[in-house]
Amino acid sequence: MERFKYILKRTFCLPPLPTVLIALPSFTLCFSLLVARHQGLLAYISYGLSAYALVITVTGFAGIIKGLRAGIRSHPVVRRLLGLPFGKRFFEDAGFRAELSLYQGFFICLFYIILKMLSGIYYRSLWLVSLAVYYSLLALIRFLLLCHVNKRTPGSSRVSEWRRYRLCGIMLLFMNQVLAGVVGFIVYQNRGYDYPGFLIYAVAVYTFYITIIAVVQLVRFKRYGSPLLSAAKAVNLAAAMVSMLSLTTAMLAQFGEDDAPFFRRIMTGAVGGGVCLLVLGIAIVMIVRSTKQLKRLRDDGRVQA
């Protein structure tokens, strides 16, 4: 058994450099053959390599990030920044970086809303407009979290943060009804958004990146003891799942067969239903967890009834 575990670890958990050297050529080959619509033995080999590359990228992602951080910190410009108060705090205070990530996520979400809304109006796509509305609701949740950050340091008021955490869960619960309506609409319409040229591959890479980052940060930020930051990362994960749904519809529209509308509808419905269930699970966990924590604090006499 130990021998088997050792083999699995040596096969699928590689150091950062071999991971990059295997993953980049594998993904490049797979994308190139997809663009050329090449079929045959080489295409099947590329699919297998890309699947293996995806596995080792996921397992080695933390090591790659750690190596990049070590390389960045050793750069002369970064060493100069470490001599400044803001630079020192940014590189050494994880809580401060977490606060900045709230602002970053909020402004990126605003940009995404504008992009989706303008695209929806230009292409007359109700699907894109619906996505813009959903991301607007996510931006509202981020705004509520930012308002709390401006008043208090994350982790300083557990009661207030757990209440805000529960409010975010309740909002996600109701927003999931909107998402379910959007999924039902795109299944009924049976259409997806077509990205021009190679743009769909850039969107795919970005979508997988933000999904992996959202999962990693959701787990990592639990150790800071701030329900506020955990709520922000849960919202990021919900947004990443919706981006994954959007990417799925685009890939089915671009690479799916024109004579297979039933298959496209089934796949869109399955992925959309899975995303809705995941977001629903996140919302329920947030509500239940925060309610238990508030009850425990009330029993300890820290919360007024």
Side-chain angles (χ1 to χ4, degrees), residues 56-106:
I56 63 174
T57 300
V58 172
T59 58
F61 187 77
I64 294 173
I65 296 300
K66 188 179 295 183
L68 288 175
R69 286 179 176 174
I72 292 173
R73 289 181 68 90
S74 62
H75 195 276
V77 176
V78 175
R79 288 204 297 264
R80 281 175 172 262
L81 290 175
L82 287 172
L84 301 175
F86 178 84
K88 183 177 178 61
R89 187 181 181 192
F90 177 82
F91 284 101
E92 297 184 357
D93 188 346
F96 178 65
R97 290 199 303 272
E99 291 181 43
L100 291 180
S101 70
L102 291 178
Y103 290 93
Q104 175 190 358
F106 177 72

Side-chain angles (χ1 to χ4, degrees), residues 134 138 172 233-243 275 279 282:
Y134 186 80
L138 289 178
L172 277 180
K233 301 313 169 185
V235 172
N236 288 349
L237 181 58
M241 291 297 99
V242 176
S243 296
V275 170
V279 175
I282 292 173

